[in-house]
Amino acid sequence: MKPLTPVKLIFIFLIFFTSCSPNLNQEISGEKHIIAHPQNNYNDQIAGYGWKVGTTITLEIDDPANGIGTDYSDSQEAHITEAENISVTFFPGVDWDLAPGHIITLSDGITTVTHVVQDLSIETIDIENDQIQGTAKPGSEVMVWLESPYSHELRVKADASGHWQANFTGIGDIIEASTGAVAQNDIPPSGSSHTRINWTFGHLHIEASLNEHIIGFYNFQPFGDLTFLVYHPETEELIYTGLLETDEIGSAMFENHEKLFFLEPGSLIVARDNPTNQETSLKMRFLSLDTFDTVNNTVEGQSNPGEIVTVYIYDPATEEEYIIDTQTDAAGNWRVTFEEDISNTMELVARIFDEEHDEIAVRWVEE
């Protein structure tokens, strides 16, 4: 069996990366600029790029509707993040809700950058016709990104009524796992600063690990928040309620380090996307990983009779992946044999899915 192209699989392998403390004189490359994310009410983000690490950056927001002057301010020390080399990030939270026309200023006392939040929206994501539609200032240019499974960009103009449409037909497919963004510079354009709205497509998605008691949430509103509930498998009583903030692609993870609850077959997880009030749920089913035989290259386990089990192995040394689907017998047993040599240095996960393709997983952990 040939190795498969890497795909995004949660609870399947751990991502290892190396980070180091930045030099305080280090400056993030590129022009200093602002990206405003007026994503949802009270879940907005303001990101600044290009300042030296250790420099104190002051944020000021002016709402012209209130007259000239600063209506909101904050400050923090610039640093480098692993994602996108952001040097400073502000989360106004419940204290300030970004809206079109607000004037954002970031300054280190020497260099000052200003951006006006643009009136930009996404109204429709058409998966059948690979089109995205929305509104902006009439006649203005909008940048539209389709970022997965491949990266594509279109620049389109809003018509006289402010409507714009990006057609990715023949360029890239919008699928259930797709993510992307739309953005617009100041009008007239001024540097690289822009207003950006991230989007995801697909049903609200849950992935949960039976033996690690971890839950992942996907396709929720980016830069929003979600509430999740966990119910006891036998009594059906509510045993845990959690609140999580989503990232730029609408994902969030509850790692449950303190083992605040244990997931078992029959446990019910319900999640609500608070900005949209959409809900989804996942009921846990039985699945086990019993044998990881590196001599005979076999993996064995159990689940419900007739269950389809996907067995996944990832080799961090070669970054190769191997996947085999199998079905349990009448007694609930399953067994797969890999053509490749497998070793205990590899990541091993077994998965089953519900009708909505939500995932229940078990990862091999050495005792």
Side-chain angles (χ1 to χ4, degrees):
M1 180 175 57
K2 296 181 180 179
L4 300 180
T5 303
V7 293
K8 177 186 175 185
L9 296 168
I10 307 302
F11 307 126
I12 291 180
F13 60 90
L14 298 176
I15 299 174
F16 294 95
F17 63 90
T18 302
S19 61
C20 57
S21 298
N23 186 305
L24 289 182
N25 293 319
Q26 184 173 359
E27 183 171 0
I28 298 173
S29 61
E31 173 191 356
K32 293 179 176 65
H33 63 283
I34 297 168
I35 297 182
H37 297 268
Q39 199 73 42
N40 302 298
N41 291 342
Y42 309 118
N43 288 286
D44 303 326
Q45 174 182 328
I46 298 167
Y49 295 71
W51 274 274
K52 288 184 178 180
V53 172
T55 304
T56 297
I57 308 300
T58 299
L59 162 70
E60 294 182 347
I61 302 177
D62 173 24
D63 180 359
N66 297 330
I68 298 174
T70 301
D71 296 293
Y72 176 85
S73 64
D74 196 359
S75 64
Q76 63 177 248
E77 190 175 280
H79 60 285
I80 289 181
T81 65
E82 293 294 329
E84 300 188 58
N85 282 339
I86 301 172
S87 54
V88 61
T89 310
F90 293 91
F91 297 91
V94 298
D95 296 323
W96 190 263
D97 181 25
L98 283 180
H102 289 181
I103 303 169
I104 301 171
T105 301
L106 292 182
S107 178
D108 58 9
I110 299 174
T111 302
T112 298
V113 180
T114 300
H115 172 64
V116 179
V117 179
Q118 299 301 302
D119 191 357
L120 181 66
S121 75
I122 302 171
E123 293 187 336
T124 305
I125 300 175
D126 185 345
I127 191 171
E128 297 296 330
N129 297 302
D130 297 317
Q131 295 179 358
I132 303 172
Q133 301 178 40
T135 61
K137 183 177 180 179
S140 63
E141 183 181 69
V142 177
M143 297 169 284
V144 186
W145 291 292
L146 171 59
E147 296 177 342
S148 66
Y150 304 101
S151 181
H152 303 282
E153 177 186 344
L154 289 177
R155 290 176 180 257
V156 298
K157 279 194 173 182
D159 62 20
S161 64
H163 176 266
W164 58 263
Q165 176 177 289
N167 189 345
F168 286 92
T169 302
I171 301 171
D173 292 332
I174 301 177
I175 62 175
E176 285 204 0
S178 288
T179 63
V182 299
Q184 188 169 62
N185 288 54
D186 287 313
I187 303 173
S190 176
S192 301
S193 295
H194 59 270
T195 299
R196 174 179 175 133
I197 298 175
N198 296 301
W199 60 267
T200 63
F201 187 89
H203 75 284
L204 305 185
H205 182 62
I206 301 175
E207 299 180 3
S209 172
L210 263 174
N211 64 331
E212 295 179 296
H213 313 288
I214 299 171
I215 310 174
F217 303 91
Y218 307 93
N219 291 339
F220 287 71
Q221 190 76 16
F223 293 122
D225 56 66
L226 64 91
T227 299
F228 71 96
L229 312 172
V230 181
Y231 293 88
H232 192 276
E234 296 176 358
T235 66
E236 299 183 352
E237 293 180 358
L238 178 64
I239 59 174
Y240 189 80
T241 301
L243 178 67
L244 297 174
E245 294 183 354
T246 59
D247 61 18
E248 67 275 7
I249 61 171
S251 301
M253 181 81 71
F254 187 78
E255 297 184 351
N256 200 12
H257 293 303
E258 298 178 358
K259 296 297 182 289
L260 299 173
F261 56 82
F262 293 92
L263 294 176
E264 304 174 66
S267 295
L268 177 65
I269 303 167
V270 178
R272 182 179 68 250
D273 183 73
N274 293 329
T276 65
N277 288 321
Q278 291 181 297
E279 286 192 356
T280 189
S281 63
L282 170 63
K283 192 165 188 176
M284 304 298 287
R285 301 197 306 278
F286 171 61
L287 175 66
S288 71
L289 261 177
D290 302 326
T291 304
F292 187 11
D293 186 345
T294 58
V295 175
N296 297 303
N297 298 323
T298 60
V299 179
E300 297 178 335
Q302 294 181 313
S303 189
N304 297 316
E307 191 84 70
I308 301 297
V309 180
T310 299
V311 184
Y312 172 94
I313 287 182
Y314 170 73
D315 186 351
T318 63
E319 297 186 350
E320 291 182 329
E321 300 172 325
Y322 308 100
I323 300 175
I324 296 179
D325 287 336
T326 188
Q327 188 171 19
T328 58
D329 60 22
N333 300 310
W334 59 266
R335 183 176 187 270
V336 297
T337 301
F338 286 87
E339 296 178 3
E340 299 77 15
D341 290 334
I342 60 178
S343 72
N344 55 15
T345 63
M346 298 179 178
E347 298 286 341
L348 167 63
V349 172
R351 302 175 296 150
I352 56 177
F353 301 92
D354 66 8
E355 293 180 355
E356 296 295 324
H357 210 68
D358 293 317
E359 175 186 313
I360 299 164
V362 174
R363 186 168 71 90
W364 180 264
V365 179
E366 293 286 350
E367 297 296 337

